[in-house]
Amino acid sequence: MSVLDQILPILFLILAGMSLRLFNVLSPQIMEGLTKLVVNLVLPSVLFTVFLDMAMKASYLGVFVVTAAICGGLYALGRIVGPKLAPNHPYFPFLMTGFEYGMLGVSLFGGAYGLQAVGYIAVVDLAHELFIWFIFAPMLMIRRDGQSDPATILKMFATSPVVIALVAGLVCNGLGLSDFIKTTPVFSSLYGTMKLLAGMAIPLILLVVGYGIRIHREGLGDVLKMVALRYGILVPLALLLNMFVLGGLLGLGEPFQMAFFTLLILPPPFIIPLFMQKAPESERAYVINALAVSTVVSLALFAIYLGFHPTI
């Protein structure tokens, strides 16, 4: 299979999603419903089935530490340079860190290398998920409300279908329940249902992502500064860490290095606008535009990287 055969279906699905919006085939309300379907049912099915069969190794702890350090370091950098580089944009630090793993990482990596390969990027994302729930989201709440509510954060974490599926998959894996789940009546049927739902993930997510891409010229200069800084740091950092840490110190193979690079070129989390109810409309427009531009850049970088790493 050529690189074009791998990347073009992904791009065609994204373009199809954009066409659904441009030609008013689906309303924003319907697309919002599809997004909820992805987050609450499809993506949890992917994560549970992936983690159920994953072989866990001690070396994965090293990836956990590296990913956590990158997330925290980028946020700190955003707080330091934000007042100088983007003095009128208080949400700048949140655009410098975090990665849209759920709505883009799974579909890109799985679409290019097969859904069975999602386990690699799921491992490198683990620390990032904890960062999002226990640092990123609370800081967003502080920015919005002036304070963070630990009870609200814990409730969001404990009731998130994505988190529940991830933890359930890890626990069942650790207890050696994989064969039991796959062979026991009812449980095997539930597992089969999840596998069917997981098969919907890539096309459905890419359609949703394409529908949401909308770049505006107004304020584009400020957005491009942020995007240039973010990817000017992350692309060389991903390549260097793959060479000297993941591949060298930790001894992890190329699939994990490919997953790590993919994670680090993803756009900032798409949840940021959900915490901006009190922000000025101009700041919301800046963040939404930044997410759209970052998504396009991510797609371009992934296509280039795929050309050099076409198979796992």
Side-chain angles (χ1 to χ4, degrees), residues 79-103:
R79 292 293 299 268
I80 294 170
V81 305
K84 297 179 180 180
L85 190 64
N88 299 319
H89 298 295
Y91 281 82
F92 175 89
F94 299 100
L95 294 170
M96 282 297 296
T97 191
F99 310 98
E100 186 44 56
Y101 164 76
M103 291 301 290

Side-chain angles (χ1 to χ4, degrees), residues 30-52:
I30 292 176
M31 194 55 62
E32 183 180 349
L34 290 177
T35 302
K36 290 180 179 179
L37 175 65
V38 169
V39 172
N40 294 312
L41 202 57
V42 175
L43 190 55
S45 297
V46 173
L47 293 177
F48 178 81
T49 54
V50 163
F51 278 107
L52 181 65

